[in-house]
Amino acid sequence: MGIAHPYLMFLGDAPDQLAAKTAAGVAYWRPEWCLGQLRLPGCQADLGLPDMTLEEAAEAGVKTLIVGVANRGGRISESWIALLEQALTLGMDIASGLHRKVVEVPVLAETAAREGRQLFDVRHPTREFDVANGRKRQGQRLLAVGTDCSIGKMYTTLALEREMRARSMKADFRATGQTGIFIAGDGVSVDAVVADFISGAVEWLTPENDADHWDVVEGQGSLFHASFAGVTTGLIHGSQPDALVLCHEPDRPHMRGLPDFPLPDPGLCMERNLECALLTNPAAKFVGIALNTSALDQAATDRVVKEMADRFSLPTVDPVKHGVGAIVDNLG
């Protein structure tokens, strides 16, 4: 897409840190591209970047304002539009990963055309995909799956790619969501693909490759999430994973955005994901567990890591606290 950096991360009025996970992911993995953040009154997210006005950002040389807040439904708030328009007039492009396209906001489209600026909607694919065929293709693929949404699948796969490359393994992170696309520079936001073509899009994203090459595929949603299970199924079937990694947050009280739905048991979650994976890859298997223990102290972290490792006989780590070397070791 040719999105120019450096970036100004727009957090809007995000109600919590998770609502700004797009911006947080970009700032973590591409800190050299992120000059500052812009927060509206009431914003409860903070990336630890310098707070900037649009004028300060323009003076600092920002090329693109990234709409880094991922609200429920992917809406562009009416209260943001005047600010986004001003960013265009100050010489910035706008890149957004929301469901609603910035190019379909008339005043933004008109202003961008007048000012010679670009609008990027990274969630929306710019090509068509075939229906999946399910045929086995050369190369190896790893997919992160989770007990819930927003639980560490992108972080885990990026960490795995980094560790594998550090070992001189052939590995590529394959972005399947807007944040990953901002980080990787390309990919397919599969939740914007028409349902019949999700698996086909993932087949396209993870094509035949060298026998020792790993596509490390960013997971989305959860088979147990009433809102987003469909996209997870398409990812599993299309990626034909040789290796699966379960992502789980032990102390999360309920499914993200669904207070009436408790998290599934990790064992049941692994069983159901593996059943789906075996449809297109009879050799699929789990190779590790990645825990998000950010809310736990060291003693609690050590306890839950040991419990999960003993229960499932799999390498179990918190990718932030421990790294993912033990999981890579288990790839064989």
Side-chain angles (χ1 to χ4, degrees):
M1 289 184 175
I3 300 173
H5 51 81
Y7 297 155
L8 174 66
M9 308 308 297
F10 175 63
L11 306 187
D13 47 4
D16 56 33
Q17 199 73 13
L18 268 180
K21 67 174 185 175
T22 296
V26 179
Y28 181 88
W29 292 100
R30 295 290 183 266
E32 70 277 13
W33 294 358
C34 301
L35 294 188
Q37 63 185 14
L38 195 164
R39 299 185 291 168
L40 298 179
C43 180
Q44 299 299 311
D46 188 351
L47 305 180
L49 295 170
D51 286 297
M52 288 183 171
T53 64
L54 287 175
E55 291 80 6
E56 290 169 341
E59 181 67 23
V62 164
K63 300 295 186 183
T64 304
L65 181 147
I66 302 291
V67 179
V69 60
N71 55 31
R72 189 169 177 83
R75 304 177 308 278
I76 297 175
S77 172
E78 292 298 322
S79 64
W80 301 352
I81 293 177
L83 183 146
L84 299 179
E85 180 185 6
Q86 184 183 4
L88 293 168
T89 62
L90 288 171
M92 299 176 214
D93 296 336
I94 294 173
S96 170
L98 297 175
H99 282 292
R100 184 183 178 191
K101 297 180 181 181
V102 289
V103 298
E104 292 180 352
V105 179
V107 67
L108 298 182
E110 294 164 5
T111 303
R114 184 179 68 247
E115 301 291 336
R117 307 316 315 162
Q118 296 189 78
L119 301 174
F120 300 97
D121 288 292
V122 303
R123 183 184 288 272
H124 299 274
T126 56
R127 56 159 294 140
E128 294 183 349
F129 300 101
D130 293 328
V131 173
N133 57 50
R135 290 193 293 269
K136 183 63 178 173
R137 54 201 185 275
Q138 184 172 274
Q140 301 188 82
R141 291 157 195 90
L142 181 150
L143 174 67
V145 296
T147 52
D148 194 9
C149 306
S150 304
I151 210 161
K153 296 183 289 293
M154 185 190 74
Y155 187 100
T156 297
T157 44
L158 282 163
L160 285 165
E161 182 211 38
R162 183 171 60 187
E163 177 68 20
M164 294 163 81
R165 288 190 171 190
R167 300 184 186 198
S168 298
M169 297 171 67
K170 298 176 184 177
D172 286 297
F173 170 73
R174 300 302 188 187
T176 61
Q178 67 272 25
T179 308
I181 293 171
F182 285 135
I183 294 167
D186 59 17
V188 177
S189 192
V190 293
D191 64 359
V193 176
V194 174
D196 279 357
F197 302 98
I198 292 175
S199 294
V202 182
E203 287 184 350
W204 175 86
L205 185 64
T206 58
E208 188 165 49
N209 216 315
D210 294 340
D212 60 346
H213 177 277
W214 283 93
D215 279 331
V216 186
V217 185
E218 176 189 11
Q220 297 292 334
S222 169
L223 284 183
F224 287 80
H225 200 290
S227 304
F228 309 119
V231 71
T232 308
T233 306
L235 267 170
I236 294 171
H237 291 159
S239 64
Q240 299 180 358
D242 300 277
L244 293 158
V245 174
L246 179 73
C247 298
H248 176 59
E249 185 175 352
D251 60 328
R252 186 174 291 195
H254 57 74
M255 302 298 279
R256 175 78 171 159
L258 300 176
D260 296 329
F261 286 77
L263 257 66
D265 174 76
L268 180 62
C269 187
M270 293 169 71
E271 180 182 326
R272 295 291 187 264
N273 278 277
L274 187 57
E275 285 175 356
C276 286
L278 293 175
L279 175 70
T280 54
N281 187 350
K285 64 179 181 179
F286 273 90
V287 298
I289 299 170
L291 299 178
N292 179 349
T293 65
S294 57
L296 303 180
D297 61 22
Q298 189 60 52
T301 296
D302 292 344
R303 182 175 63 255
V304 72
V305 166
K306 185 178 187 305
E307 288 173 354
M308 294 286 283
D310 290 347
R311 178 182 174 187
F312 298 109
S313 299
L314 287 171
T316 302
V317 299
D318 181 317
V320 176
K321 297 178 180 178
H322 310 128
V324 293
I327 296 177
V328 177
D329 289 342
N330 200 37
L331 292 177

